Structures are given as C-alpha cells and as structure tokens.
C-alpha cells in the first residue's frame, strides 16, 4: 500500500500490536516507523513526513498532547490518531480540539484500528 505510518507508544508491545494488525491487512512493514516517546515522534515526523501518525497520549519525555501540538504547528495538514486508555476522556477531547482526527481506545480491537486507518488513508 506504500503509505508511511508513524507508530508512537512508549510500550514496544503496543507498537508491535498495531504493526501486526496493519501488516495482516496488507500495509507494508517497511513503511512503518516507530517512536518510543513524543520527542522522538516530533523528530521522526519532520524527518520522515509520514502519511499518518498513530500516537499514545501518555508517554515519557513529551506526552502525546504536546507532540500533537508540535507536529500540527509544523504541519497543519498532519494526520494524527490518538490512542488512549479508558478514563482519559478529557485528554482525548483536548487532542481532538488540537487537531487529532480520531482516537482508538486501548486495549486495541484490530478491526477498529483498521477501520480508522483505512478511513483516513483511503
């Protein structure tokens, strides 16, 4: 499919879960980039210009909200989907207000991830 996707989560297991789900649906593994925190996400976004960012809200160094703000400041057209655990509704609302296109609740349901990614990347 050739779309570049940046996966951002401080838990490698979560990044792997999303990557496996997307790979099974035909997305190419080598077009997926991974970041372990918000600071890395901002740097990789600038360097790689991914088509989509799937980013956790709660991370060390720079959380997902801060990283979203920085990415959107640099590129207003950036496509970002936030991931959150249950009980983070206020942060999700803030992320949407700042320009996130959607959010996925953990624990992930593979069909929900695919539905969201397919909708955004067409």
């Amino acid at each position: 499919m050739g779309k570049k996707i940046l996966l951002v989560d401080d838990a490698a297991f979560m990044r792997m879960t999303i990557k496996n789900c997307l790979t099974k649906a035909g997305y190419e593994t080598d077009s997926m980039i991974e970041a372990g925190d918000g600071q890395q996400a901002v740097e990789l976004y600038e360097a790689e210009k991914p088509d989509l960012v799937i980013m956790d809200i709660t991370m060390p160094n720079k959380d997902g909200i801060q990283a979203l703000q920085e990415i959107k400041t640099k590129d207003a057209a950036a496509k970002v989907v936030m991931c959150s655990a249950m009980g983070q509704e206020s942060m999700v609302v803030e992320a949407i207000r700042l320009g996130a296109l959607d959010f996925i609740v953990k624990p992930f349901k593979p069909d929900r991830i695919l539905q969201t990614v397919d909708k955004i990347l067409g």
Side-chain angles (χ1 to χ4, degrees), residues 12-30:
F13 172 76
M14 287 299 184
R15 295 193 308 266
M16 188 181 74
T17 301
I18 298 170
K19 185 187 262 187
N20 288 344
C21 170
L22 294 174
T23 304
K24 284 180 187 151
Y27 288 89
E28 295 164 23
T29 308
D30 55 358

Side-chain angles (χ1 to χ4, degrees), residues 55-58 82-89 91-92 103-108:
M55 182 158 47
D56 188 22
I57 287 182
T58 313
M82 303 305 289
C83 299
S84 72
M86 287 297 212
Q88 293 181 317
E89 285 82 5
M91 291 173 109
V92 168
F103 65 94
I104 303 169
V105 178
K106 294 177 181 179
F108 299 124

Side-chain angles (χ1 to χ4, degrees), residues 31 37 43 61 67 101 111:
S31 63
D37 63 46
E43 291 164 10
N61 299 332
L101 297 176
D111 57 333

Side-chain angles (χ1 to χ4, degrees), residues 1-5 22 25 27 51-52 79 81 101 113-122:
M1 291 185 187
K3 295 284 188 182
K4 213 185 272 190
I5 302 173
L22 294 174
Y27 288 89
D51 298 290
L52 175 64
K79 294 177 179 163
V81 171
L101 297 176
I113 295 171
L114 288 174
Q115 179 186 13
T116 301
V117 172
D118 289 343
K119 180 180 75 181
I120 293 169
L121 293 179

Side-chain angles (χ1 to χ4, degrees), residues 23-70:
T23 304
K24 284 180 187 151
Y27 288 89
E28 295 164 23
T29 308
D30 55 358
S31 63
M32 289 183 223
I33 313 145
E34 295 184 44
D37 63 46
Q39 182 58 47
Q40 222 183 353
V42 172
E43 291 164 10
L44 281 170
Y45 186 87
E46 285 185 77
E48 299 284 341
K49 301 286 186 261
D51 298 290
L52 175 64
V53 180
I54 300 176
M55 182 158 47
D56 188 22
I57 287 182
T58 313
M59 295 180 289
N61 299 332
K62 184 174 285 186
D63 68 28
I65 301 285
Q66 294 167 315
L68 170 66
Q69 278 180 296
E70 261 187 70

